[in-house]
Amino acid sequence: MLEWKLRLATHKDIPALHELIPRSVHHLQKDHYSHDQIEGALGSVFGVDSQLIRDGTYFVVEDTSIIGCGGWSQRKLLYGSDQLRSVDESCLLDAKYDAARVRAFFVDPNYVRKGIGTAILRACEEAIIVSGYTRAELVATLTGEPLYAAYGYIAVERYDIELAQGLALPVVRMLKSLS
Ligand SMILES: CC(C)(COP(=O)(O)OP(=O)(O)OC[C@H]1O[C@@H](n2cnc3c(N)ncnc32)[C@H](O)[C@@H]1OP(=O)(O)O)[C@@H](O)C(=O)NCCC(=O)NCCS
């Protein structure tokens, strides 16, 4: 039985997240993306968005070390790390009109299918509702899609994120009503 606990991430967790995210992506996404796609997306599409930590909307799950992370956001950006964020996409959403974002879930490959993604998603949705939003939106990897689909997120658009060297990463935009 795992004894993990969920808490808000702090700046001190960033080195552990820099280690966890590539490990998670390399092990868990290999059925959906090529090595080159994963390498092309790491650091830009997949990586730490420290704005989420500063906003107090990013969670980690900790056992003896950090074994999962994920969060939500009241900012426009739908995906991406510090490297990808533009000023325009950092702007704040309006709970009256916009869907809150669900962002950047990564679980340690040794701990998958144990409910860690679920626990983080629940914590995000609770915080999103408390903040006055009635909808959540996300851009899922093909690896992440079954998790979100299991909790009522509906696929509304499939498209490719352009990567360097002519590569592309197929993803799916998903929505859920929380009202
Ligand atoms: C997607 C991810 C976060 C899921 O985390 P997790 O802790 O394994 O998810 P959970 O154990 O909470 O899964 C809950 C449910 O989601 C669904 N699900 C999760 N992963 C699944 C998979 N690989 N295949 C099919 N269904 C899956 C199942 O219904 C599962 O319930 P079950 O195990 O009782 O069947 C994890 O696979 C991951 O880190 N992937 C690599 C990084 C990534 O692509 N992140 C998504 C960014 S959008």
PDB file of all heavy atoms in Angstrom, residues 4 15 19-20 27 49 57-59 87 117 131 138:
ATOM      1  N   TRP A   4       1.430   7.764  -0.150  1.00  0.00           N
ATOM      2  CA  TRP A   4       1.735   9.071  -0.700  1.00  0.00           C
ATOM      3  C   TRP A   4       0.782  10.152  -0.208  1.00  0.00           C
ATOM      4  O   TRP A   4      -0.332   9.875   0.208  1.00  0.00           O
ATOM      5  CB  TRP A   4       1.787   9.024  -2.212  1.00  0.00           C
ATOM      6  CG  TRP A   4       0.671   8.356  -2.931  1.00  0.00           C
ATOM      7  CD1 TRP A   4       0.668   7.066  -3.384  1.00  0.00           C
ATOM      8  CD2 TRP A   4      -0.591   8.912  -3.312  1.00  0.00           C
ATOM      9  NE1 TRP A   4      -0.510   6.802  -4.023  1.00  0.00           N
ATOM     10  CE2 TRP A   4      -1.298   7.915  -3.992  1.00  0.00           C
ATOM     11  CE3 TRP A   4      -1.175  10.160  -3.144  1.00  0.00           C
ATOM     12  CZ2 TRP A   4      -2.568   8.117  -4.509  1.00  0.00           C
ATOM     13  CZ3 TRP A   4      -2.449  10.380  -3.663  1.00  0.00           C
ATOM     14  CH2 TRP A   4      -3.118   9.363  -4.329  1.00  0.00           C
ATOM     15  N   PRO A  15      13.950  21.047  -9.092  1.00  0.00           N
ATOM     16  CA  PRO A  15      14.946  20.066  -9.559  1.00  0.00           C
ATOM     17  C   PRO A  15      14.366  18.654  -9.669  1.00  0.00           C
ATOM     18  O   PRO A  15      14.643  17.941 -10.644  1.00  0.00           O
ATOM     19  CB  PRO A  15      16.046  20.138  -8.482  1.00  0.00           C
ATOM     20  CG  PRO A  15      15.901  21.519  -7.892  1.00  0.00           C
ATOM     21  CD  PRO A  15      14.427  21.828  -7.922  1.00  0.00           C
ATOM     22  N   GLU A  19      13.710  16.168 -13.157  1.00  0.00           N
ATOM     23  CA  GLU A  19      14.135  14.764 -13.279  1.00  0.00           C
ATOM     24  C   GLU A  19      12.937  13.867 -13.610  1.00  0.00           C
ATOM     25  O   GLU A  19      13.007  12.982 -14.461  1.00  0.00           O
ATOM     26  CB  GLU A  19      14.800  14.351 -11.954  1.00  0.00           C
ATOM     27  CG  GLU A  19      15.511  13.010 -11.970  1.00  0.00           C
ATOM     28  CD  GLU A  19      14.569  11.842 -11.705  1.00  0.00           C
ATOM     29  OE1 GLU A  19      13.632  11.987 -10.889  1.00  0.00           O
ATOM     30  OE2 GLU A  19      14.745  10.789 -12.333  1.00  0.00           O
ATOM     31  N   LEU A  20      11.800  14.130 -12.948  1.00  0.00           N
ATOM     32  CA  LEU A  20      10.615  13.274 -13.124  1.00  0.00           C
ATOM     33  C   LEU A  20      10.007  13.379 -14.531  1.00  0.00           C
ATOM     34  O   LEU A  20       9.654  12.365 -15.147  1.00  0.00           O
ATOM     35  CB  LEU A  20       9.554  13.664 -12.075  1.00  0.00           C
ATOM     36  CG  LEU A  20       8.156  13.053 -12.263  1.00  0.00           C
ATOM     37  CD1 LEU A  20       8.190  11.537 -12.035  1.00  0.00           C
ATOM     38  CD2 LEU A  20       7.146  13.702 -11.321  1.00  0.00           C
ATOM     39  N   HIS A  27       9.249   6.912 -20.663  1.00  0.00           N
ATOM     40  CA  HIS A  27       8.729   5.566 -20.415  1.00  0.00           C
ATOM     41  C   HIS A  27       7.279   5.404 -20.853  1.00  0.00           C
ATOM     42  O   HIS A  27       6.895   4.384 -21.389  1.00  0.00           O
ATOM     43  CB  HIS A  27       8.812   5.231 -18.921  1.00  0.00           C
ATOM     44  CG  HIS A  27      10.172   4.820 -18.492  1.00  0.00           C
ATOM     45  ND1 HIS A  27      11.179   5.722 -18.240  1.00  0.00           N
ATOM     46  CD2 HIS A  27      10.711   3.598 -18.289  1.00  0.00           C
ATOM     47  CE1 HIS A  27      12.271   5.084 -17.885  1.00  0.00           C
ATOM     48  NE2 HIS A  27      12.011   3.791 -17.910  1.00  0.00           N
ATOM     49  N   ASP A  49       6.454  24.460 -15.769  1.00  0.00           N
ATOM     50  CA  ASP A  49       5.938  25.822 -15.916  1.00  0.00           C
ATOM     51  C   ASP A  49       5.936  26.432 -14.514  1.00  0.00           C
ATOM     52  O   ASP A  49       5.015  26.190 -13.726  1.00  0.00           O
ATOM     53  CB  ASP A  49       4.528  25.805 -16.521  1.00  0.00           C
ATOM     54  CG  ASP A  49       3.966  27.219 -16.721  1.00  0.00           C
ATOM     55  OD1 ASP A  49       4.572  28.172 -16.190  1.00  0.00           O
ATOM     56  OD2 ASP A  49       2.923  27.353 -17.375  1.00  0.00           O
ATOM     57  N   THR A  57      -1.015  26.761  -7.988  1.00  0.00           N
ATOM     58  CA  THR A  57      -2.001  25.889  -8.646  1.00  0.00           C
ATOM     59  C   THR A  57      -1.348  24.607  -9.183  1.00  0.00           C
ATOM     60  O   THR A  57      -1.901  23.963 -10.073  1.00  0.00           O
ATOM     61  CB  THR A  57      -2.714  26.633  -9.799  1.00  0.00           C
ATOM     62  OG1 THR A  57      -1.725  27.063 -10.759  1.00  0.00           O
ATOM     63  CG2 THR A  57      -3.503  27.833  -9.302  1.00  0.00           C
ATOM     64  N   TYR A  58      -0.177  24.279  -8.662  1.00  0.00           N
ATOM     65  CA  TYR A  58       0.493  23.067  -9.128  1.00  0.00           C
ATOM     66  C   TYR A  58       0.719  22.131  -7.943  1.00  0.00           C
ATOM     67  O   TYR A  58       1.188  22.565  -6.883  1.00  0.00           O
ATOM     68  CB  TYR A  58       1.831  23.408  -9.793  1.00  0.00           C
ATOM     69  CG  TYR A  58       2.287  22.359 -10.781  1.00  0.00           C
ATOM     70  CD1 TYR A  58       1.504  22.023 -11.874  1.00  0.00           C
ATOM     71  CD2 TYR A  58       3.493  21.694 -10.618  1.00  0.00           C
ATOM     72  CE1 TYR A  58       1.905  21.053 -12.790  1.00  0.00           C
ATOM     73  CE2 TYR A  58       3.913  20.736 -11.531  1.00  0.00           C
ATOM     74  CZ  TYR A  58       3.118  20.427 -12.609  1.00  0.00           C
ATOM     75  OH  TYR A  58       3.508  19.472 -13.520  1.00  0.00           O
ATOM     76  N   PHE A  59       0.353  20.865  -8.133  1.00  0.00           N
ATOM     77  CA  PHE A  59       0.440  19.884  -7.052  1.00  0.00           C
ATOM     78  C   PHE A  59       1.562  18.887  -7.324  1.00  0.00           C
ATOM     79  O   PHE A  59       1.872  18.583  -8.482  1.00  0.00           O
ATOM     80  CB  PHE A  59      -0.864  19.089  -6.946  1.00  0.00           C
ATOM     81  CG  PHE A  59      -2.068  19.923  -6.592  1.00  0.00           C
ATOM     82  CD1 PHE A  59      -2.950  20.329  -7.585  1.00  0.00           C
ATOM     83  CD2 PHE A  59      -2.311  20.304  -5.280  1.00  0.00           C
ATOM     84  CE1 PHE A  59      -4.072  21.097  -7.279  1.00  0.00           C
ATOM     85  CE2 PHE A  59      -3.424  21.070  -4.961  1.00  0.00           C
ATOM     86  CZ  PHE A  59      -4.304  21.472  -5.956  1.00  0.00           C
ATOM     87  N   VAL A  87       4.125  36.260 -23.302  1.00  0.00           N
ATOM     88  CA  VAL A  87       3.461  37.220 -22.411  1.00  0.00           C
ATOM     89  C   VAL A  87       1.952  37.166 -22.628  1.00  0.00           C
ATOM     90  O   VAL A  87       1.162  37.111 -21.690  1.00  0.00           O
ATOM     91  CB  VAL A  87       3.991  38.648 -22.683  1.00  0.00           C
ATOM     92  CG1 VAL A  87       3.227  39.679 -21.849  1.00  0.00           C
ATOM     93  CG2 VAL A  87       5.479  38.712 -22.380  1.00  0.00           C
ATOM     94  N   GLY A 117      -2.754  10.102 -10.843  1.00  0.00           N
ATOM     95  CA  GLY A 117      -3.326  11.083 -11.782  1.00  0.00           C
ATOM     96  C   GLY A 117      -4.730  11.476 -11.347  1.00  0.00           C
ATOM     97  O   GLY A 117      -5.101  12.660 -11.374  1.00  0.00           O
ATOM     98  N   SER A 131     -12.788  28.387  -7.325  1.00  0.00           N
ATOM     99  CA  SER A 131     -12.396  29.659  -7.939  1.00  0.00           C
ATOM    100  C   SER A 131     -13.464  30.227  -8.865  1.00  0.00           C
ATOM    101  O   SER A 131     -13.245  31.259  -9.516  1.00  0.00           O
ATOM    102  CB  SER A 131     -11.084  29.501  -8.705  1.00  0.00           C
ATOM    103  OG  SER A 131     -10.069  29.093  -7.824  1.00  0.00           O
ATOM    104  N   LEU A 138      -8.347  21.348 -21.476  1.00  0.00           N
ATOM    105  CA  LEU A 138      -6.953  20.912 -21.472  1.00  0.00           C
ATOM    106  C   LEU A 138      -6.546  20.437 -22.851  1.00  0.00           C
ATOM    107  O   LEU A 138      -7.392  20.157 -23.700  1.00  0.00           O
ATOM    108  CB  LEU A 138      -6.748  19.790 -20.435  1.00  0.00           C
ATOM    109  CG  LEU A 138      -7.603  18.524 -20.572  1.00  0.00           C
ATOM    110  CD1 LEU A 138      -6.951  17.507 -21.491  1.00  0.00           C
ATOM    111  CD2 LEU A 138      -7.822  17.900 -19.200  1.00  0.00           C
TER     112      LEU A 138
END
